[in-house]
Amino acid sequence: MTIDWSWMGDHTDDLTALTISHLQAALTAVLLGVLISLPLAVIAHRIRPLRGLLLGLSNVLFTIPSIAIFVLLLPVSGLTRTTTVIGLTIYTLVVLLRNTVEGLDSVPVKVKEASKAMGTRPLRTLLTVEFPLALPVIMAGVRIATVMSISLVSVATYIGDGGLGQLFTDGFQRNFPTPVIAGVVLTLLLAVVADAALVALQYVLTPWRRRRA
Amino acid sequence: MYELFENLGAWLVSGEQWSGSDGIAHRLTEHLQYSLLATLIAAAIGLPLGLLIGHTGKGAFVAINLASFGRALPTVGLVVLVFLAGGLSMLPVYVALVALAVPAIVTNTYAGMTAVAPEVKDAARGQGMRGHQVLLQVELPLALPLIMTGLRLALIQVVATATIAAYVSFGGLGRYVFDGLAQRDLVQVLGGAVLVAAVAVVLDLALSGLQRFLFRHRTA
């Protein structure tokens, strides 16, 4: 199996466009996933009876195969980017919700009580004390969700979208390995770069965790 | 929308849909065969690896990075790649499914092993147990719940992904999804998707039931 480098050279524009479209789908899904899971996690953290229900529900959603989720959404949103993003968002929820709840759980009760004793209102405690302290665990979830989404975008190629996944269909139909190799390598690269970027973001967001040398 | 679900219901319960070489019963058997065999192979590779890394503490770096590599690897691309390299056989499908399942099994086994308290291992050694005895009689039983979680996770992912066997012209429940997509027959596509989802959920429930049965003494 040899790589046709001239094909790569001729298709740099296509590869760039597909990579951008791929990243857009994955990142939109993760962003939506974070926006949805944050309030749900607070509810699951504060109201015990709802905790099992919410976590259980997200687990069941995770058991549904990705191709099935995309297909099941077809009657709702058709062969569009929306279907891809909704499907991926559903997938991110299980990781994001579980990690955010665990993160909030990991904040020591004494810290919350200290904040309360200083007269801080619950919402402010949540935003300025609990979330920042839970951030490392939440970010671990965001990293997993991002890498997973980047890999899953290509499944949406079956419903006509799918960023770099289109290279797999193309290579398969023409019995031509080069685009497939390019697609796999670019997907892995995207995942590595996105993961590193999130590590850097976490470093910036948690200055108190940096020890002075 | 309502009509669609009505047709879907009719599709799922019609006797003629269930019989024959293109019937649901046959496709279901194929799907289970692919999924279970792939998970078994993955377990045969992943379990010893995870146990070894957890027991010796060597190669933890590999175990941790294997997890994110496994999550990042696009399965569809892998199937097509092995297919183009090795020709038309079930091999690409099994390679992709095993590659998908091994990281989940290794990382969970490793996590289970590291969660065993060092004092417990020291106590076992203090009683004169040898390395392999500590591994098999102390670490393994204590790590089992997390190992089972890893196997469940792997099996769910494999059942979901076995759909792609149909993409490279093999059977399984993915047949309905891909044939339906090609024929613009939404009812058939949805039928296949619902069946795959149902298989995943039922297998997961079965394994979680088995797990609860195996560990019933813990809750007593």
Side-chain angles (χ1 to χ4, degrees):
Chain A
M1 194 154 48
T2 49
I3 299 177
D4 183 351
W5 289 106
S6 67
W7 182 90
M8 295 269 203
D10 292 344
H11 291 81
T12 14
D13 289 351
D14 293 339
L15 291 176
T16 316
L18 286 177
T19 308
I20 292 171
S21 140
H22 194 102
L23 194 62
Q24 267 173 354
L27 291 188
T28 315
V30 174
L31 199 67
L32 282 175
V34 169
L35 289 178
I36 296 171
S37 65
L38 279 182
L40 286 180
V42 173
I43 294 172
H45 173 68
R46 295 260 164 103
I47 308 167
R48 290 283 141 169
L50 285 178
R51 183 197 177 92
L53 182 76
L54 283 171
L55 288 178
L57 194 67
S58 70
N59 272 330
V60 170
L61 283 177
F62 190 67
T63 39
I64 302 177
S66 50
I67 173 83
I69 286 207
F70 290 134
V71 167
L72 290 171
L73 285 169
L74 286 182
V76 186
S77 44
L79 292 164
T80 61
R81 178 39 67 91
T82 317
T83 305
T84 313
V85 172
I86 298 177
L88 291 174
T89 306
I90 292 175
Y91 261 85
T92 63
L93 284 182
V94 65
V95 191
L96 291 173
L97 189 60
R98 195 192 300 139
N99 273 54
T100 311
V101 172
E102 269 174 29
L104 289 173
D105 286 350
S106 73
V107 178
V109 180
K110 282 179 185 168
V111 176
K112 280 185 265 182
E113 283 174 351
S115 171
K116 205 199 271 180
M118 293 199 299
T120 318
R121 288 175 173 276
L123 184 65
R124 205 180 145 88
T125 302
L126 183 72
L127 293 178
T128 60
V129 178
E130 291 181 76
F131 271 139
L133 287 177
L135 203 63
V137 187
I138 297 177
M139 282 302 282
V142 174
R143 286 174 59 192
I144 295 176
T146 306
V147 171
M148 214 170 64
S149 298
I150 288 176
S151 154
L152 276 179
V153 175
S154 37
V155 177
T157 187
Y158 299 136
I159 57 154
D161 192 6
L164 293 164
Q166 289 170 34
L167 295 170
F168 305 151
T169 317
D170 181 39
F172 178 63
Q173 283 167 350
R174 294 195 289 143
N175 202 9
F176 178 44
T178 304
V180 187
I181 297 171
V184 171
V185 171
L186 283 173
T187 309
L188 288 175
L189 267 179
L190 265 189
V192 171
V193 171
D195 198 44
L198 286 172
V199 172
L201 179 68
Q202 185 182 344
Y203 182 82
V204 173
L205 289 178
T206 54
W208 62 91
R209 283 169 71 89
R210 287 174 232 157
R211 293 269 167 82
R212 254 169 279 169
Chain B
M1 195 80 160
Y2 175 74
E3 198 191 359
L4 184 67
F5 284 111
E6 209 173 34
N7 290 339
L8 182 62
W11 186 87
L12 282 171
V13 296
S14 87
E16 135 197 28
Q17 194 55 248
W18 276 83
S19 58
S21 67
D22 197 30
I24 296 174
H26 183 235
R27 295 293 180 216
L28 192 67
T29 319
E30 284 175 332
H31 204 93
L32 286 173
Q33 185 194 323
Y34 304 156
S35 312
L36 295 177
L37 186 59
T39 311
L40 274 180
I41 299 172
I45 300 169
L47 284 180
L49 206 60
L51 288 175
L52 194 72
I53 294 172
H55 182 65
T56 60
K58 283 175 193 150
F61 182 77
V62 176
I64 292 159
N65 283 288
L66 196 62
S68 56
F69 181 74
R71 271 191 290 268
L73 196 67
T75 319
V76 189
L78 190 61
V79 172
V80 174
L81 208 56
V82 183
F83 176 82
L84 292 181
L88 183 71
S89 71
M90 267 302 283
L91 183 73
V93 178
Y94 280 118
V95 168
L97 294 181
V98 170
L100 181 77
V102 165
I105 295 174
V106 171
T107 42
N108 271 274
T109 307
Y110 168 72
M113 294 287 285
T114 50
V116 178
E119 302 86 42
V120 178
K121 285 184 266 187
D122 288 344
R125 283 218 178 76
Q127 287 183 324
M129 278 192 180
R130 288 169 185 278
H132 68 274
Q133 288 174 315
V134 178
L135 172 65
L136 293 177
Q137 295 173 22
V138 179
E139 290 177 289
L140 183 62
L142 288 175
L144 259 183
L146 266 177
I147 295 176
M148 285 295 289
T149 309
L151 287 173
R152 277 171 60 188
L153 198 68
L155 184 60
I156 292 174
Q157 285 180 313
V158 166
V159 167
T161 316
T163 319
I164 52 175
Y167 185 63
V168 285
S169 72
F170 287 94
L173 293 169
R175 213 44 290 150
Y176 300 122
V177 176
F178 288 108
D179 290 352
L181 279 173
Q183 298 160 10
R184 303 264 158 211
D185 177 2
L186 197 57
V187 172
Q188 193 184 345
V189 178
L190 288 177
V194 167
L195 286 171
V196 178
V199 171
V201 173
V202 167
L203 279 181
D204 190 47
L205 285 176
L207 274 186
S208 103
L210 178 72
Q211 192 176 351
R212 228 169 277 159
F213 175 76
L214 288 175
F215 301 111
R216 61 196 182 283
H217 58 276
R218 297 231 169 148
T219 49

